[in-house]
Amino acid sequence: GAVVSQHPSWVICKSGTSVKIECRSLDFQATTMFWYRQFPKQSLMLMATSNEGSKATYEQGVEKDKFLINHASLTLSTLTVTSAHPEDSSFYICSARRTSRGYNEQFFGPGTRLTVL
Amino acid sequence: AQRVTQPEKLLSVFKGAPVELKCNYSYSGSPELFWYVQYSRQRLQLLLRHISRESIKGFTADLNKGETSFHLKKPFAQEEDSAMYYCALSGESGGSNYKLTFGKGTLLTVNP
């Protein structure tokens, strides 16, 4: 159990277009999901915390108008990269916190590789 | 502010040798500490959490609040342990701060 999926697994888009990435918790409910960015051979950098039914909380330096997050249900959060540019090319990873447990138990998706031409 | 430091970017050992991956943290309260592992071409997965005090795949980690450390140890490394290891920290259990702060990671290579 406790599987998190991401779709798409990779995407190539033209500069100026918008790309939506989905994160789903397949067999558990997640009131909180997290979005990370990972550059090659580097660590995960938290971008934002996505809370079901409320606005996302963005980390310092992350443009909320650039990276739109929607957490419409207990199993789905989406990240939309608006007007993407080559510098947005990266590996985007989501994690979902299992709500049923009292402690902090998070499960990670496989990631989405975004390439902006 | 919470911070996690993994001083070693790369660590190479021979099969059967002991291995220790270092992790130090900075946090004003009582944190939760984790070790995550990422095998080649796989997703990040939880290896250990300090509150469980368990041994997974022969790895153990003890939280030392005096030294603010949470080093990962294994007495006899195996080739399949080769992976990227991340130490991570979050706020007090049960609190609202569940976000994880990751260290930069240590790439462990176990040579035959």
Side-chain angles (χ1 to χ4, degrees), chain A residues 5-49:
Chain A
S5 70
Q6 281 184 242
H7 178 78
S9 55
W10 60 270
V11 57
I12 301 173
C13 69
K14 293 182 179 179
S15 186
T17 61
S18 295
V19 174
K20 181 185 284 188
I21 302 170
E22 292 185 349
C23 177
R24 292 182 184 272
S25 56
L26 298 184
D27 48 4
F28 65 99
Q29 294 184 332
T31 54
T32 307
M33 292 184 174
F34 302 89
W35 286 96
Y36 297 85
R37 189 170 176 177
Q38 186 178 34
F39 291 102
K41 299 185 185 294
Q42 294 191 30
S43 186
L44 285 77
M45 183 191 76
L46 180 66
M47 298 174 65
T49 302

Side-chain angles (χ1 to χ4, degrees), chain A residues 2 6 9 12-13 16 18-19 23 25 40 49 51 55 58-59 75-76 78 83 90 93-94 97-99 105 114 117:
Chain A
Q6 281 184 242
S9 55
I12 301 173
C13 69
S18 295
V19 174
C23 177
S25 56
T49 302
N51 299 296
K55 290 184 179 180
Y58 290 82
E59 295 300 299
T75 59
L76 174 64
T78 60
S83 187
S90 191
I93 302 172
C94 74
R97 179 177 169 267
R98 184 152 59 179
T99 310
E105 188 171 28
L114 170 64
L117 302 176

Side-chain angles (χ1 to χ4, degrees), chain A residues 3-5 32 34 36 38 41-44 46 49 59 91 93 97 102-106 108-110, chain B residues 9 32 34 36 38 43-46 49 51 84 86 90-91 93-94 97-100 102-105:
Chain A
V3 177
V4 175
S5 70
T32 307
F34 302 89
Y36 297 85
Q38 186 178 34
K41 299 185 185 294
Q42 294 191 30
S43 186
L44 285 77
L46 180 66
T49 302
E59 295 300 299
F91 197 55
I93 302 172
R97 179 177 169 267
Y103 49 82
N104 193 4
E105 188 171 28
Q106 294 185 28
F108 285 79
Chain B
K9 196 171 183 178
E32 279 195 74
F34 307 83
Y36 282 85
Q38 189 171 29
R43 71 183 69 194
L44 205 65
Q45 55 185 284
L46 178 66
R49 60 172 74 88
I51 60 173
M84 179 69 84
Y86 294 98
S90 74
S93 177
N97 183 22
Y98 289 113
K99 65 180 184 180
L100 290 170
F102 284 87
K104 292 186 182 297

Side-chain angles (χ1 to χ4, degrees), chain B residues 33-67:
Chain B
L33 273 297
F34 307 83
W35 276 99
Y36 282 85
V37 60
Q38 189 171 29
Y39 299 102
S40 180
R41 300 183 187 279
Q42 294 188 28
R43 71 183 69 194
L44 205 65
Q45 55 185 284
L46 178 66
L47 181 64
L48 288 175
R49 60 172 74 88
H50 89 269
I51 60 173
S52 300
R53 292 182 167 272
E54 56 197 344
S55 173
I56 303 293
K57 298 184 179 182
F59 285 98
T60 59
D62 292 317
L63 179 61
N64 186 323
K65 292 185 178 180
E67 296 182 357

Side-chain angles (χ1 to χ4, degrees), chain A residues 68-95:
Chain A
L68 299 178
I69 291 173
N70 186 297
H71 194 154
S73 77
L74 287 172
T75 59
L76 174 64
S77 175
T78 60
L79 169 69
T80 301
V81 183
T82 63
S83 187
H85 290 284
E87 57 265 30
D88 299 324
S89 298
S90 191
F91 197 55
Y92 293 87
I93 302 172
C94 74
S95 73

Side-chain angles (χ1 to χ4, degrees), chain B residues 60-81:
Chain B
T60 59
D62 292 317
L63 179 61
N64 186 323
K65 292 185 178 180
E67 296 182 357
T68 59
S69 68
F70 188 56
H71 303 327
L72 183 68
K73 301 177 184 179
K74 184 169 182 176
F76 307 103
Q78 303 299 315
E79 289 181 68
E80 55 265 30
D81 296 328

